[in-house]
Amino acid sequence: MKHLGFLSLLMIWVVSRTCLVGCKKPVSINVGVVFSFDSVIGRAAKPAMEAANSDINESPTILNGVDFNLIMKDANCNAFLGSIEAYQVIEQEVVAIIGPQSSSIAHMVSSIANSLQVPLVSYAATDPSLSARQFPFFVRTVQSDSSQMNVMASLVDFYGWKEVIAIYVDDDYGRNGIAALNDELDKRMAKSFYRLPLPLHFVQSDIVALLKESKLLGPHVYIVHVNPDPQLRIFAAAEMLQMMTNDYVWFATDWLSTTIDSFAPVNRTALRVLQGVVGLRQHIPKSNQKKDFMSRWRMMQQKGSAKSELNAYGLCAYDTVWTVAHSIDKYIKDGNNFTFSLSGKLNDTKTSQLHLEKLKVFDGGAILLEHIMNTSFSGLTGQVRFGSDRNIVTSGYDVINIDKMAVHTVGYWSDIFGFSVSPRETLRGTKKRHSELDQKLGSVTWPGGKTERPRGWVIADEERPLRVGVPHRASFVEFVMELNGTRKIVGYCIDVFTEALKFIPYNVPYKFEFFGDGQSNPNYNDLVKMVADNVFDAAVGDIAIVKNRTEMVDFSQPYVMTGLVIVAPIHNTKSSAWVFLKPFTTDMWCMTAGGFFIIAVVIWILEHRVNDDFRGPPRRQLVTMVMFSFSTLFKTNQEVTVSSLGRMVMVVWLFLLMVITSSYTANLTSILTVQQLSSPVTGIDSLIANRWPIGYQVGSFAYGYLSETLSIHTSRLVKLHTPEEYETALRLGPDHGGVAAIVDELTYVELFLSKRTDFGIIGQPFTKSGWGFAFQRGSVLADDMSTAILKLSETGKLQEIHARWFCKMGCPGQRRAKSEPNQLHLASFWGLYLLCGVITLAALLVFMLRMVRQYVRYRRRQMKLHRPSSSVRTTTGCSQVIFNFFDFIDEKEEAIKNMFMQCEINPVPETPTSSTT
């Protein structure tokens, strides 16, 4: 038993000695720090990291007894010097490197860190191309520019702008950041994105030249992505060039907020040049820890250890030091040693003057990197933890607006809630995803002091007017022409364009430039292509809107509706012997004739008892009825109506006849005066079926339509230049070297026919199109011009312009071959016929009621005069009563009155009654 106890003690002693030798706790730990001391970020980061170093060494809860030592080296804002300083700190066997703040230096130092397996933790290198796949030992404790550019693109999209100019410094930080912005804008369907790089060490003249160049591009929405600049040179130059006015929009990435936050209170007057600028600032939640550190910072400023105001990168630098310290503490507690070994690859490079063989690989670098990635604690910037991409989990951004030399926070952005007027931490748990309808920002004051959203673009200005190409035509010059060699361009299309510009709510300076030599009509497809190729900004003229052109440019609303038509020689047709029947349709003739007979019967009924002209033998009465009715048409009737009802019916009938005869006369006159056209060409089908030559205007799309769409062989197509050539070719005809017909747009043909009567349009237009103004793809002027053209049409101005150019001698009429003229239909007069019929029927009804009443009275008088004895009863049949009634009506009115008077003179004697006594 004694031997067993001794052996147990011996084993415990051996194990404890082995652990003490293998897990030896270091006395101090070196961590390298490479950054630019004399920079906006460096002046805040250096005292912040020194404060963190002091707090770590004084804290009993971390690195228990191990001295945490920061070895700081100045990169002097130079990639080469920064790389040398990185080599120097690595030679001192540092276990991690903090920094650098420059993305360009970070690219070089990351390659060194990867080779030596030393974790590189940066608090300021925001270049999104610094990825974990390329640099596995690179860790970022600040938000990447990929996140910031997502916010910036969302901000531009929030206000509805689609064209943007980006000004950036031409290094890895600037180029890669703007590339990320371009990707985000593409996701939001931005139309134009212009990149304007500045030299790495730019001066004022570089800025002025670049801003002048930008004014020629069109968009007035700028995004500035440069390094922090205390002099704010870009905005000072913009103000000098009057580019901080109402027409401009200026955005800035977080470099601006970093610069502003670094200003001392006495330097806040410099914010005057930033009036209306909108920027981003890394969101740092409010906390007591941050509040205490801000108080401590002010004390450090009083002591002289901090010479700058604190900015977001200074807070990130403080948390970065703590991040490295926490991971080292975990590394030590896990029993890991800090050992370094020589690299075989570096030892083989003995001829190098850099003495790379002295550099050693950190054996525990991968383990320390894993501890860094697993770090999670509450720092000055909020909760510090890392994602799978080895970037710190973003806490969002503040949207700031500079107004009246003060910085205002107008909203917040987070990847969960999007834009809101409350910070993310106050919205936690309310919803999981954001929608466009939920996006909100506070009121923004833009450059110039206005709160209304600026337009954000300009089509043209006095320095760069709109380049408008116009066709230099040789024929039909009324549409576009040069005024008597004065270089002044006028015409119908020009007038429409200039009048439409008056309805556009902004100024559009422009200059016309001729396209073509004026000796022959130019090719309009080439003109449209020059707009698409940015030779012209727009094209104005008689430009037909056809499919292949709409694929290259955007067109305005058509200001002329047109189409391809056929014009051919015409001949007068002889008038028909029955032309007088053409004004009315058959139904109309039948109804009119029926009306005459109905009126004849009604007037005879109403006048027969009171008018001697309507009495006599039956043959005479029939002739009188017919002659009276038809004589009303010529107002030659000798008979005069006597009864009131007859006169009322005649008034309505005469009014109806007046309207019908006037309409008949007008329509017959039109038929006899309008020229009826005839031609062997009946339409486009007859042209295709025959082998006749067909003329077309040079430069028109008619050639392509006839040859490609209708498959007419090109040998049949004859090009013509002028209206005079049109006329000559049509008069010669297909058998004498001319053409059978010409296919051209309706507007040209109307102008051609306005001065010629021997030609006419055959059939209807067989294509539908219009003329419009061409603009570059995505141009907002196309939409605004369309609205202006609609307003021109609604106000009648478009018609006035057309009349001013083409109606001096009468507007060009369309001479179309028609089978029949427009006839007058019964539907046009049914109201009058209905009125006349109702009044006639009412008069006839009143007459019959009067006759029945008189007949009843008459029968009663008769019965009293010839009353039979009480014992005798007389009965009269129904048919006898009807015959008696018609006999009564046939009597004259005077005879009936005499009967009533006789009854009153000879009253009926009373029959004596017998009395009983």
Side-chain angles (χ1 to χ4, degrees):
M1 293 295 293
K2 292 182 179 180
H3 291 291
L4 290 175
F6 176 75
L7 289 174
S8 298
L9 292 173
L10 180 62
M11 290 178 64
I12 293 173
W13 181 80
V14 171
V15 170
S16 62
R17 292 294 298 172
T18 303
C19 183
L20 289 174
V21 173
C23 306
K24 184 178 180 181
K25 187 176 181 180
V27 177
S28 64
I29 296 295
N30 292 333
V31 174
V33 184
V34 179
F35 65 105
S36 299
F37 291 178
D38 190 19
S39 64
V40 172
I41 295 177
R43 285 191 290 270
K46 187 173 185 295
M49 288 188 288
E50 290 173 345
N53 190 15
S54 175
D55 293 344
I56 291 168
N57 288 326
E58 293 177 1
S59 175
T61 61
I62 188 172
L63 295 177
N64 190 14
V66 178
D67 186 25
F68 186 80
N69 183 29
L70 294 179
I71 302 176
M72 295 186 178
K73 295 293 184 179
D74 189 1
N76 290 306
C77 299
N78 186 285
F80 176 72
L81 294 178
S83 301
I84 293 178
E85 297 297 340
Y87 278 114
Q88 291 180 356
V89 296
I90 289 175
E91 286 180 351
Q92 300 184 43
E93 297 186 348
V94 295
V95 299
I97 301 176
I98 296 175
Q101 70 191 45
S102 168
S103 296
S104 299
I105 300 176
H107 275 277
M108 299 186 68
V109 177
S110 293
S111 299
I112 301 172
N114 284 348
S115 300
L116 302 179
Q117 298 185 18
V118 176
L120 178 65
V121 186
S122 177
Y123 60 89
T126 57
D127 181 0
S129 67
L130 290 166
S131 64
R133 291 184 178 181
Q134 184 179 3
F135 305 109
F137 280 83
F138 178 80
V139 181
R140 187 159 25 210
T141 58
V142 69
Q143 300 181 68
S144 168
D145 275 344
S146 59
S147 299
Q148 181 173 206
M149 295 310 175
N150 176 35
V151 181
M152 187 59 70
S154 298
L155 193 59
V156 173
D157 185 62
F158 177 82
Y159 288 105
W161 291 302
K162 297 297 182 181
E163 296 182 336
V164 176
I165 296 176
I167 298 176
Y168 63 97
V169 62
D170 194 9
D171 61 0
D172 291 334
Y173 157 75
R175 286 190 300 268
N176 296 327
I178 294 302
L181 176 61
N182 188 25
D183 293 340
E184 295 296 335
L185 288 173
D186 285 343
K187 295 177 184 178
R188 293 159 177 82
M189 305 299 292
K191 294 180 180 179
S192 301
F193 182 65
Y194 300 93
R195 308 183 192 196
L196 299 181
L198 283 168
L200 183 59
H201 302 290
F202 58 85
V203 295
Q204 193 72 6
S205 60
D206 298 325
I207 301 173
V208 172
L210 183 139
L211 292 179
K212 288 182 177 180
E213 177 187 353
S214 72
K215 295 176 72 174
L216 305 178
L217 298 178
H220 277 189
V221 179
Y222 290 82
I223 298 176
V224 183
H225 183 58
V226 295
N227 293 311
D229 180 17
Q231 298 177 0
L232 303 174
R233 290 172 290 173
I234 292 178
F235 295 104
E239 185 183 40
M240 180 185 68
L241 296 174
Q242 297 182 349
M243 295 175 66
M244 299 296 291
T245 58
N246 299 332
D247 296 333
Y248 289 85
V249 177
W250 289 91
F251 291 109
T253 53
D254 67 344
W255 72 269
L256 182 62
S257 61
T258 301
T259 302
I260 295 174
D261 293 341
S262 302
F263 283 165
V266 294
N267 293 333
R268 290 282 168 167
T269 54
L271 299 183
R272 180 182 55 81
V273 298
L274 299 177
Q275 172 64 39
V277 176
V278 176
L280 298 178
R281 174 193 283 146
Q282 296 183 54
H283 178 65
I284 299 176
K286 295 181 179 179
S287 64
N288 292 330
Q289 188 178 358
K290 175 186 173 183
K291 182 179 179 181
D292 294 341
F293 189 79
M294 296 294 292
S295 300
R296 179 182 176 186
W297 187 267
R298 286 189 287 271
M299 295 178 62
M300 292 168 61
Q301 288 178 309
Q302 294 174 0
K303 294 179 181 179
S305 57
K307 299 180 181 179
S308 169
E309 297 294 322
L310 185 61
N311 54 47
Y313 286 99
L315 298 174
C316 289
Y318 182 92
D319 284 348
T320 301
V321 176
W322 273 95
T323 299
V324 174
H326 278 296
S327 59
I328 293 175
D329 183 60
K330 179 65 175 173
Y331 182 91
I332 295 174
K333 290 180 178 178
D334 286 350
N336 297 301
N337 288 330
F338 295 93
T339 60
F340 298 84
S341 60
L342 297 174
S343 172
K345 293 181 179 180
L346 294 177
N347 286 335
D348 293 339
T349 320
K350 294 181 179 179
T351 58
S352 174
Q353 299 299 320
L354 296 175
H355 302 288
L356 298 179
E357 68 276 4
K358 296 182 180 180
L359 300 179
K360 297 180 180 180
V361 177
F362 177 31
D363 296 330
I367 300 174
L368 182 60
L369 177 64
E370 183 179 356
H371 287 310
I372 293 175
M373 295 304 302
N374 293 330
T375 300
S376 178
F377 68 96
S378 180
L380 298 181
T381 59
Q383 190 66 26
V384 178
R385 54 192 178 90
F386 298 91
S388 59
D389 58 353
R390 299 187 180 176
N391 291 327
I392 194 170
V393 175
T394 177
S395 58
Y397 286 86
D398 299 344
V399 181
I400 62 172
N401 176 221
I402 294 88
D403 179 34
K404 298 178 181 178
M405 294 188 295
V407 180
H408 306 277
T409 301
V410 296
Y412 304 87
W413 163 270
S414 67
D415 54 356
I416 298 176
F417 303 101
F419 289 115
S420 63
V421 294
S422 301
R424 171 182 175 176
E425 54 270 17
T426 63
L427 302 174
R428 184 171 300 169
T430 59
K431 56 183 177 178
K432 295 182 179 179
R433 290 181 297 178
H434 64 273
S435 65
E436 294 182 1
L437 297 177
D438 298 326
Q439 305 297 285
K440 293 181 181 179
L441 285 176
S443 177
V444 172
T445 301
W446 302 99
K450 292 187 177 181
T451 56
E452 296 83 6
R453 185 186 75 92
R455 191 168 64 245
W457 48 265
V458 63
I459 296 296
D461 53 27
E462 298 299 337
E463 297 180 4
R464 182 191 177 277
L466 194 73
R467 300 164 298 172
V468 181
V470 294
H472 199 179
R473 297 188 56 88
S475 62
F476 298 108
V477 295
E478 291 87 349
F479 298 106
V480 177
M481 63 180 177
E482 184 179 6
L483 187 62
N484 300 327
T486 59
R487 301 300 296 173
K488 181 180 180 180
I489 300 176
V490 296
Y492 168 68
C493 301
I494 302 300
D495 282 359
V496 173
F497 177 75
T498 54
E499 287 295 330
L501 285 179
K502 296 178 181 179
F503 287 92
I504 293 179
Y506 47 88
N507 183 38
V508 184
Y510 62 90
K511 64 176 181 179
F512 292 124
E513 297 180 15
F514 267 133
F515 173 73
D517 56 9
Q519 303 301 317
S520 62
N521 294 335
N523 188 303
Y524 281 56
N525 288 334
D526 294 341
L527 173 59
V528 171
K529 190 175 186 303
M530 293 184 73
V531 176
D533 294 340
N534 198 31
V535 178
F536 295 127
D537 298 312
V540 170
D542 46 337
I543 306 171
I545 304 173
V546 293
K547 181 178 180 298
N548 66 313
R549 296 174 184 172
T550 58
E551 295 172 351
M552 294 187 289
V553 297
D554 288 342
F555 277 95
S556 68
Q557 172 82 12
Y559 61 91
V560 169
M561 298 307 298
T562 182
L564 291 179
V565 295
I566 301 171
V567 59
I570 57 172
H571 307 283
N572 294 336
T573 59
K574 295 181 179 180
S575 299
S576 170
W578 301 97
V579 69
F580 68 90
L581 294 176
K582 291 183 178 180
F584 288 165
T585 61
T586 303
D587 294 341
M588 186 65 182
W589 279 119
C590 293
M591 177 58 75
T592 304
F596 279 106
F597 287 106
I598 293 172
I599 290 297
V601 173
V602 172
I603 292 298
W604 177 84
I605 293 173
L606 298 177
E607 296 290 325
H608 177 68
R609 300 180 72 244
V610 296
N611 195 336
D612 290 336
D613 293 335
F614 291 86
R615 300 187 66 83
R619 183 177 179 181
R620 178 188 173 188
Q621 294 186 47
L622 181 62
V623 172
T624 301
M625 287 169 50
V626 175
M627 293 302 296
F628 176 85
S629 176
F630 283 94
S631 63
T632 57
L633 183 62
F634 310 103
K635 301 179 182 179
T636 60
N637 52 309
Q638 301 297 324
E639 298 79 4
V640 178
T641 55
V642 176
S643 67
S644 300
L645 293 175
R647 291 176 177 177
M648 181 179 67
V649 172
M650 285 301 299
V651 168
V652 178
W653 172 248
L654 290 174
F655 177 75
L656 173 64
L657 283 181
M658 181 188 68
V659 175
I660 291 177
T661 53
S662 300
S663 302
Y664 175 88
T665 304
N667 203 23
L668 181 60
T669 303
S670 175
I671 292 172
L672 294 175
T673 55
V674 172
Q675 189 179 46
Q676 301 300 300
L677 310 180
S678 67
S679 171
V681 179
T682 58
I684 189 63
D685 293 332
S686 66
L687 275 182
I688 297 174
N690 290 282
R691 306 299 300 173
W692 298 323
I694 305 170
Y696 71 92
Q697 182 186 173
V698 174
S700 171
F701 75 95
Y703 176 83
Y705 184 83
L706 294 173
S707 60
E708 298 174 8
T709 304
L710 300 182
S711 301
I712 298 177
H713 198 275
T714 55
S715 60
R716 295 178 55 194
L717 303 179
V718 180
K719 60 181 180 181
L720 303 171
H721 297 82
T722 64
E724 290 73 20
E725 290 186 12
Y726 278 30
E727 183 175 2
T728 302
L730 288 172
R731 293 191 184 281
L732 288 175
D735 298 329
H736 300 87
V739 297
I742 294 174
V743 174
D744 203 352
E745 293 180 69
L746 177 60
T747 313
Y748 298 123
V749 172
E750 286 184 338
L751 190 58
F752 170 73
L753 296 178
S754 65
K755 302 175 183 177
R756 297 163 180 85
T757 59
D758 297 336
F759 312 99
I761 297 173
I762 308 300
Q764 301 290 330
F766 54 90
T767 66
K768 295 293 184 181
S769 63
W771 289 355
F773 304 133
F775 299 93
Q776 293 181 5
R777 279 286 192 182
S779 174
V780 295
L781 190 56
D783 295 334
D784 293 339
M785 184 61 71
S786 297
T787 304
I789 290 173
L790 290 176
K791 291 180 180 178
L792 280 179
S793 179
E794 292 171 356
T795 58
K797 192 67 178 179
L798 200 58
Q799 291 75 12
E800 291 180 14
I801 299 173
H802 183 271
R804 185 166 64 244
W805 279 97
F806 303 120
C807 297
K808 296 176 182 178
M809 302 298 294
C811 290
Q814 298 183 359
R815 296 172 175 85
R816 304 182 187 278
K818 300 177 183 178
S819 58
E820 290 291 335
N822 291 326
Q823 294 180 310
L824 297 176
H825 296 266
L826 179 60
S828 303
F829 301 94
W830 73 267
L832 277 176
Y833 277 109
L834 179 62
L835 177 63
C836 184
V838 169
I839 294 178
T840 301
L841 183 61
L844 190 60
L845 182 61
V846 171
F847 174 81
M848 294 304 296
L849 291 175
R850 287 174 58 189
M851 290 301 98
V852 171
R853 179 173 175 273
Q854 285 185 1
Y855 179 72
V856 171
R857 289 178 58 198
Y858 171 74
R859 289 296 297 169
R860 287 177 179 174
R861 295 286 185 181
Q862 290 292 89
M863 290 175 66
K864 289 181 179 181
L865 288 174
H866 307 286
R867 176 175 298 174
S869 61
S870 60
S871 61
V872 180
R873 297 292 181 182
T874 60
T875 58
T876 305
C878 180
S879 59
Q880 185 64 37
V881 172
I882 294 175
F883 285 129
N884 293 337
F885 177 72
F886 281 106
D887 290 340
F888 176 78
I889 295 177
D890 190 53
E891 293 289 337
K892 287 192 64 173
E893 184 75 21
E894 293 180 2
I896 300 301
K897 290 181 178 180
N898 291 334
M899 291 179 187
F900 285 117
M901 291 177 63
Q902 184 180 359
C903 292
E904 291 175 359
I905 296 172
N906 301 311
V908 178
E910 294 290 331
T911 302
T913 58
S914 58
S915 59
T916 302
T917 60

